Amino acid sequence: MGVVKRILIVVAIAMAAVAVSAKDRGGLWGQRASLFELLPVDSTDIVFLGNSITHYCEWHELLGMQNVKNRGISGDVVDGFYDRLEPVVKGHPRKIFVMGGINDISHKLSADSVATLMANLLDYIIENTPTTEIFLQSALPINNDFNRFKSLTGTEQVVIDYNRRLEQLAEERGITFINLFPLFANEEGKLDPIYTNDGLHLLGNAYIKWRDYILPYVNR
Amino acid sequence: MGVVKRILIVVAIAMAAVAVSAKDRGGLWGQRASLFELLPVDSTDIVFLGNSITHYCEWHELLGMQNVKNRGISGDVVDGFYDRLEPVVKGHPRKIFVMGGINDISHKLSADSVATLMANLLDYIIENTPTTEIFLQSALPINNDFNRFKSLTGTEQVVIDYNRRLEQLAEERGITFINLFPLFANEEGKLDPIYTNDGLHLLGNAYIKWRDYILPYVNR
């Protein structure tokens, strides 16, 4: 195969990757990210960064604080968080609570791969806004008995391994790791059916429990 | 056909309707509705009630007010709003901004049918919290050139007819109608592509424009 042909193939693959990426960034992601670019963040703010589990709550109401800002996007992956960090870090918020990775895991990434993406994200935040206190929240247990998210079938151990890696990442960087997993797991290690109606997302009672658990970190 | 058989058929249809309704109330609807039951509303609050177009915004940030509460659920229909009104009306909020109907229209309901459901909703609010000021917002234009929501194909005139009916409903009840349609329509009457990436949902710039337009109603 000639050099020109090889180069053309590489370019084609790169263009395809960009196209896929652009597609993933359309729809809801593009809508929310464009809103987040226009909503200012400042040094008194507490930002909740995440996927649907963060998105679907009303954090400022739950915590009773105007300066609490929801930066969740349903379906988002850790790399997606990264691509929309700029409007957050430039405001140098007081605190960032991060939760992510379950969508990456549903895309069949390994625990190590997702943890590496999360390490990247944390390092970007640390570098660009060193005054911000970061709280790294674990992934939550899932419950595949609901049989609603086929792409999560058999990923229970990945979630556990991923959370162990997150704990290490936090320790290495001197940031706070918040292990929410035991809070919501039943005796089988599954997301307790009292907290969910689909095995992945949370009912209101779970958000209350989550709030009560993180309140010391929010207020300190 | 015997009377018993006819009755059985009617019962079967009714049970099927309940089953469909129950299904619609699961997933995200059940998650958000259960949260909304636990988040208090009080007489200083301004509530934004609606579907995804309401849900996907951060209204308290956009308006810079802690007492602004998002009661949007992606995918919800007017009847779904009705079924979760209780925790809202019992708090006797100061104002409610309502927008809905586009999902009903996507389910092939006529303009008159959706308007009747909205009339029901308005009457429930008026009856249960007469101190609350209601702002009935029009449906927004759609843009089927994006070809993203097949169920909205050919419904452009339904949206226009529905908005006319909403204006009448508001007038009959002495409440404020806010016509957002012209704000976001291009010369062809379609949702202007500068405000959307899918022909239905809004980009950040649209929420800023919406905010600026309703600000006098929020503050008065």
Side-chain angles (χ1 to χ4, degrees), chain B residues 76-148:
Chain B
D76 205 9
V77 293
V78 177
D79 197 42
F81 303 177
Y82 189 96
D83 287 351
R84 55 190 176 85
L85 269 181
E86 203 272 331
V88 171
V89 298
K90 83 172 179 197
H92 302 293
R94 195 152 67 91
K95 304 182 180 193
I96 299 180
F97 287 79
V98 189
M99 174 187 284
I102 197 68
N103 292 318
D104 303 72
I105 290 171
S106 83
H107 299 161
K108 304 300 171 206
L109 265 66
S110 69
D112 275 349
S113 299
V114 191
T116 300
L117 291 166
M118 185 57 87
N120 239 14
L121 183 90
L122 296 173
D123 291 338
Y124 181 95
I125 300 173
I126 291 166
E127 195 177 320
N128 286 279
T129 178
T131 54
T132 299
E133 201 174 358
I134 306 169
F135 298 87
L136 180 59
Q137 302 173 112
S138 72
L140 303 182
I142 54 175
N143 190 330
N144 285 318
D145 296 346
F146 284 85
N147 213 18
R148 280 285 295 274

Side-chain angles (χ1 to χ4, degrees), chain B residues 154-210:
Chain B
T155 62
E156 290 84 351
Q157 189 58 43
V158 183
V159 174
I160 290 167
D161 295 342
Y162 170 63
N163 281 339
R164 267 199 211 112
R165 293 282 292 111
L166 289 189
E167 191 165 10
Q168 288 169 4
L169 290 182
E171 200 182 329
E172 285 160 16
R173 285 158 183 78
I175 65 179
T176 306
F177 177 69
I178 300 179
N179 191 6
L180 297 171
F181 191 99
L183 218 61
F184 297 111
N186 66 10
E187 287 179 2
E188 296 175 281
K190 297 173 180 175
L191 180 55
D192 195 315
I194 66 168
Y195 295 125
T196 186
N197 64 359
D198 65 8
L200 173 60
H201 300 105
L202 301 179
L203 297 173
N205 59 355
Y207 285 113
I208 300 289
K209 190 162 176 157
W210 186 346

Side-chain angles (χ1 to χ4, degrees), chain A residues 27-28 31-32 34-35 38 56 58 60-61 64-66 68-71 197-198 201-205, chain B residues 27-28 31-32 34 38 56 58 60-61 64-66 68-71 197-198 201-205:
Chain A
L28 178 61
Q31 294 148 26
R32 293 278 285 175
S34 71
L35 176 66
L38 297 172
Y56 292 159
E58 297 298 322
H60 88 284
E61 287 187 53
M65 298 161 80
Q66 164 70 13
V68 166
K69 302 193 165 172
N70 187 330
R71 291 296 177 273
N197 63 0
D198 65 7
H201 300 105
L202 301 178
L203 297 173
N205 58 355
Chain B
L28 178 62
Q31 294 148 25
R32 294 277 287 176
S34 71
L38 297 172
Y56 293 159
E58 296 299 321
H60 88 284
E61 288 186 52
M65 297 162 80
Q66 164 70 12
V68 165
K69 302 193 165 171
N70 187 330
R71 291 296 177 271
N197 64 359
D198 65 8
H201 300 105
L202 301 179
L203 297 173
N205 59 355

Side-chain angles (χ1 to χ4, degrees), chain A residues 47-60:
Chain A
V47 171
F48 283 76
L49 181 66
N51 50 40
S52 57
I53 300 171
T54 298
H55 185 176
Y56 292 159
C57 187
E58 297 298 322
W59 295 98
H60 88 284

Side-chain angles (χ1 to χ4, degrees), chain A residues 126-141:
Chain A
I126 291 167
E127 195 179 318
N128 286 279
T129 178
T131 54
T132 299
E133 200 174 359
I134 306 170
F135 297 88
L136 181 58
Q137 302 172 114
S138 71
L140 303 181

Side-chain angles (χ1 to χ4, degrees), chain A:
Chain A
M1 187 161 33
V3 170
V4 171
K5 199 167 175 185
R6 276 195 223 177
I7 290 172
L8 283 175
I9 289 171
V10 169
V11 168
I13 291 170
M15 286 174 67
V18 168
V20 167
S21 164
K23 193 185 162 199
D24 289 338
R25 300 292 182 267
L28 178 61
W29 196 95
Q31 294 148 26
R32 293 278 285 175
S34 71
L35 176 66
F36 297 154
E37 279 173 17
L38 297 172
L39 294 176
V41 167
D42 73 31
S43 63
T44 67
D45 286 339
I46 299 175
V47 171
F48 283 76
L49 181 66
N51 50 40
S52 57
I53 300 171
T54 298
H55 185 176
Y56 292 159
C57 187
E58 297 298 322
W59 295 98
H60 88 284
E61 287 187 53
L62 192 71
L63 291 159
M65 298 161 80
Q66 164 70 13
N67 62 339
V68 166
K69 302 193 165 172
N70 187 330
R71 291 296 177 273
I73 302 183
S74 178
D76 205 10
V77 292
V78 177
D79 197 43
F81 302 177
Y82 189 96
D83 288 351
R84 56 190 176 85
L85 271 180
E86 204 270 333
V88 172
V89 298
K90 83 172 180 199
H92 303 293
R94 195 151 68 91
K95 304 181 181 194
I96 299 181
F97 287 78
V98 189
M99 175 188 282
I102 197 68
N103 292 319
D104 304 72
I105 291 171
S106 83
H107 299 162
K108 303 300 171 206
L109 266 65
S110 69
D112 276 348
S113 300
V114 191
T116 300
L117 292 164
M118 186 57 87
N120 238 14
L121 184 90
L122 296 173
D123 291 338
Y124 182 95
I125 299 172
I126 291 167
E127 195 179 318
N128 286 279
T129 178
T131 54
T132 299
E133 200 174 359
I134 306 170
F135 297 88
L136 181 58
Q137 302 172 114
S138 71
L140 303 181
I142 53 175
N143 190 332
N144 284 318
D145 296 347
F146 283 86
N147 214 18
R148 280 287 294 274
F149 301 100
K150 310 286 181 216
S151 56
L152 286 170
T153 306
T155 62
E156 289 84 352
Q157 189 59 44
V158 183
V159 174
I160 290 167
D161 295 342
Y162 171 62
N163 281 339
R164 267 199 211 111
R165 293 281 293 110
L166 290 189
E167 191 165 7
Q168 288 169 4
L169 291 181
E171 200 182 329
E172 286 160 15
R173 284 159 184 78
I175 65 179
T176 306
F177 176 69
I178 301 178
N179 191 6
L180 298 171
F181 191 98
L183 218 63
F184 298 111
N186 65 12
E187 286 178 3
E188 297 176 281
K190 296 173 179 176
L191 181 56
D192 195 315
I194 66 168
Y195 296 126
T196 186
N197 63 0
D198 65 7
L200 173 60
H201 300 105
L202 301 178
L203 297 173
N205 58 355
Y207 285 114
I208 300 290
K209 191 162 176 156
W210 185 346
R211 187 263 316 270
D212 293 345
Y213 192 75
I214 63 170
L215 208 51
Y217 302 107
V218 170
N219 288 328
R220 84 175 182 200

